[in-house]
Amino acid sequence: MVIAAEPQFHVLAVDDSLFDRKFIERLLQKASCHVTTVDSGYKALEFLGLREGVEINDPDAVSTSPVIHQEVEVNLIITDYCMPGMTGYDLLKKVKESSACKNIPVVIMSSENVPARISRCLEEGAEEFFLKPVRLADLNKLKPHMMKTKLKNQKLEEIETPSKDESGTAAAVVEPEVNNLTEIGIKILPLQSEVEPKQVHLQVVQKEEQTMSNNKRKSVEEGLSTDRSRPRFEGITTAV
Amino acid sequence: MNTVVAKLQRQFQDYLVSLYQQGFLDNQFTELRKLQDEGTPDFVAEVVSLFFDDCSKLINSMSRSLERPENVDFKQVDSGVHQLKGSSSSVGARRVKNVCISFKECCDVQNREGCLRCLQQVDYEYKMLKTKLQDLFNLEQQIVQAGGAIPQVNIN
């Protein structure tokens, strides 16, 4: 089994249409992501461990639903806007209200181009708003967003378990770097010229980073390959 | 060069191009084909099949909603058209999508007669496309069975 040089992202895709789920799943896989698909906002919240009042033996509960918050690492949530019951917007709000999950980037998809809807979602904290049909090129814009949470989680893990690392380098990463996550995120961005100003609302500050960044990035990559307490999704696509 | 394979590949290519030229398919179908690879050789056939299932289901339920002139559930019809338009867009089913656009307009003004006409048309279009794509997939299968590769077709 080859360990990929590039970190693997785990995306939670939410859509009530089976067709759309199949489509977005393939798209995400093609963009080298691990994918979990669910058919409603409720199931999404369950998966994220956010749904209160759900009993462990609830037959409707997602079988892979974690008991502890953040046991499952999700680097991005991509959701349809128009869904019965809980809309994508409702889901977005719930995620942003949760202290455990508010840092997970959320992307909304819709087949309708309604400017008021788009701005409402972006104001509520959605990273992007994609018009359907979503293209591979759209997904590639998401890598920087996913990278942010990935690195942040990695750092938090290293802070929590400092004695674990075999290589001395991982621990060294911890200190002042924590505040400079955004700078690391920038370094891994694709060409800025490809980004369309209209559709992108990057919350990352654009700063020029010189000497420090390369070393930081190197240690991060080394850190990524150490043992992790979190479950990994090795090439598994789960559908609930 | 295996001439049987070459002939089949040529046939496939011409057929696919004709589907674009006649407006059955658009660019999105090309995008769909790009998502298919050796690891997922049935992807296009699978999603297309899901799409046709959707068409059938939605057309049936919309038909029921439009049945009684004194009691039409336009909300339900609108929801059905919305879904159909969305999935036909994602698949690249151009003609079906275009009918959906007119269909939505009839629905917006609560024109039952117009809706019924569009319903009939959308039924016709999806069935027509289904037949065409079945022929296309059959050609693909023949190529693979003859030991050839499916050509990458560039549509301009």
Side-chain angles (χ1 to χ4, degrees):
Chain A
M1 186 83 144
V2 177
I3 296 175
E6 205 185 294
Q8 294 299 296
F9 299 119
H10 178 214
V11 180
L12 178 64
V14 192
D15 203 310
D16 60 315
S17 151
L18 175 58
F19 171 86
D20 286 330
R21 283 200 301 281
K22 246 249 119 41
F23 183 76
I24 197 72
E25 177 189 71
R26 183 79 266 270
L27 212 59
L28 287 164
Q29 284 169 347
K30 198 79 181 173
S32 308
C33 297
H34 295 298
V35 191
T36 300
T37 58
V38 293
D39 64 8
S40 72
Y42 299 106
K43 296 244 179 86
L45 291 177
E46 262 179 20
F47 187 80
L48 294 165
L50 290 184
R51 197 166 158 205
E52 282 98 29
V54 174
E55 308 196 357
I56 305 298
N57 53 6
D58 184 339
D60 289 336
V62 172
S63 58
T64 56
S65 174
V67 177
I68 307 162
H69 284 197
Q70 287 293 289
E71 192 60 42
V72 176
E73 187 184 313
V74 171
N75 303 117
L76 184 100
I77 299 167
I78 184 163
T79 177
D80 187 26
Y81 183 90
C82 278
M83 296 188 290
M86 188 184 288
T87 66
Y89 178 75
D90 298 328
L91 176 61
L92 167 68
K93 276 176 64 175
K94 286 261 189 288
V95 168
K96 292 303 168 186
E97 280 164 14
S98 137
S99 52
C101 296
K102 66 178 180 221
N103 291 317
I104 303 177
V106 181
V107 170
I108 313 271
M109 305 179 280
S110 177
S111 50
E112 290 168 320
N113 190 350
V114 180
R117 175 186 292 182
I118 297 174
S119 37
R120 203 155 55 109
C121 289
L122 295 173
E123 276 163 30
E124 196 62 40
E127 303 287 339
E128 307 269 358
F129 191 102
F130 290 150
L131 288 176
K132 288 182 175 180
V134 178
R135 299 257 177 122
L136 209 52
D138 296 325
L139 293 188
N140 286 329
K141 287 187 212 160
L142 298 180
K143 302 257 166 135
H145 298 303
M146 294 192 279
M147 202 68 203
K148 274 190 289 189
T149 32
K150 186 94 186 170
L151 292 175
K152 193 165 183 179
N153 289 341
Q154 186 63 29
K155 298 241 185 275
L156 286 172
E157 218 176 33
E158 282 159 11
I159 293 167
E160 283 158 18
T161 58
S163 55
K164 239 165 21 83
D165 59 299
E166 274 98 64
S167 64
T169 48
V173 175
V174 174
E175 268 294 340
E177 274 70 346
V178 176
N179 296 326
N180 298 327
L181 282 173
T182 50
E183 290 162 7
I184 295 173
I186 294 170
K187 274 300 130 186
I188 307 167
L189 277 177
L191 293 174
Q192 283 306 297
S193 56
E194 286 175 39
V195 171
E196 291 156 29
K198 270 181 294 196
Q199 213 171 328
V200 174
H201 287 250
L202 290 176
Q203 292 169 7
V204 172
V205 174
Q206 310 272 339
K207 274 167 35 181
E208 278 299 288
E209 195 55 35
Q210 294 303 325
T211 51
M212 287 202 310
S213 62
N214 290 334
N215 293 337
K216 267 191 266 180
R217 190 179 168 192
K218 192 154 173 285
S219 3
V220 165
E221 279 173 318
E222 282 163 12
L224 283 167
S225 58
T226 55
D227 276 15
R228 300 177 53 172
S229 55
R230 298 221 178 95
R232 297 193 115 172
F233 293 82
E234 306 267 329
I236 300 166
T237 299
T238 51
V240 282
Chain B
M1 177 97 154
N2 186 339
T3 51
V4 171
V5 169
K7 193 167 165 209
L8 285 169
Q9 286 172 330
R10 185 82 226 186
Q11 227 183 323
F12 173 85
Q13 193 155 327
D14 290 344
Y15 194 61
L16 185 55
V17 169
S18 77
L19 291 180
Y20 283 94
Q21 285 174 340
Q22 290 166 48
F24 285 102
L25 299 172
D26 64 27
N27 216 355
Q28 186 57 24
F29 190 75
T30 318
E31 292 294 312
L32 212 65
R33 292 191 78 227
K34 283 189 200 167
L35 294 177
Q36 183 164 290
D37 53 33
E38 297 89 45
T40 55
D42 301 317
F43 173 68
V44 177
E46 271 173 22
V47 288
V48 156
S49 171
L50 281 176
F51 167 65
F52 292 135
D53 285 346
D54 264 2
C55 286
S56 170
K57 251 186 0 219
L58 290 168
I59 288 170
N60 280 337
S61 61
M62 287 192 286
S63 174
R64 279 195 303 274
S65 297
L66 286 164
E67 209 169 338
R68 283 160 41 227
E70 73 281 4
N71 191 16
V72 178
D73 186 353
F74 281 107
K75 254 186 112 177
Q76 196 280 335
V77 179
D78 184 71
S79 159
V81 177
H82 174 84
Q83 282 181 68
L84 212 48
K85 179 163 171 272
S87 47
S88 58
S89 251
S90 296
V91 153
R94 188 171 160 274
R95 286 201 191 175
V96 177
K97 184 187 74 175
N98 286 341
V99 177
C100 288
I101 294 172
S102 315
F103 201 158
K104 178 143 185 15
E105 287 167 10
C106 291
C107 207
D108 287 344
V109 298
Q110 307 210 334
N111 174 358
R112 181 175 172 267
E113 286 303 316
C115 283
L116 285 170
R117 274 196 304 272
C118 290
L119 187 69
Q120 207 173 32
Q121 218 181 334
V122 96
D123 188 65
Y124 173 81
E125 288 297 342
Y126 104 81
K127 284 174 175 163
M128 170 80 98
L129 181 62
K130 190 172 176 182
T131 316
K132 299 274 178 186
L133 288 181
Q134 196 52 60
D135 289 342
L136 190 74
F137 295 143
N138 285 340
L139 273 173
E140 265 189 359
Q141 245 184 348
Q142 285 178 60
I143 293 172
V144 168
Q145 277 166 5
I150 315 293
Q152 286 298 326
V153 180
N154 287 317
I155 313 293
N156 291 320

